[in-house]
Amino acid sequence: INRLMMAYTGTTLRHYVINCRINEAKRLLMTSEASMSEVAEKSGFKSAYYFSRCFKEKTGFSPGEFRAARKNMV
């Protein structure tokens, strides 16, 4: 499956799933007041720590920084 994913999307299945979860987390951070643990769980991460680490790696912001920046923009 990974070879097919890489051929068609340029990414592995694992990275594709993480990107989908990060996008869902962004949506939740922008539209709800859920805690970071709730956002992590609702977006499919089993650990709030791992969620925060992945989020920072992919976006350059911690989940809290992302939420605060979005609030300041509105």
Side-chain angles (χ1 to χ4, degrees), residues 18-36 38-45 51 55 59 62-63 66-68 70-71 74:
I18 288 173
N19 285 332
C20 289
R21 290 176 177 170
I22 294 294
N23 288 333
E24 176 64 8
K26 286 179 184 178
R27 187 189 70 76
L28 290 168
L29 289 168
M30 289 188 292
T31 61
S32 76
E33 292 298 321
S35 71
M36 295 307 152
E38 290 172 324
V39 170
E41 183 180 329
K42 288 179 180 180
S43 57
F45 289 91
F51 160 66
F55 194 92
T59 66
S62 72
F66 182 84
R67 179 178 270 168
R70 286 297 185 175
K71 284 184 179 179
V74 173

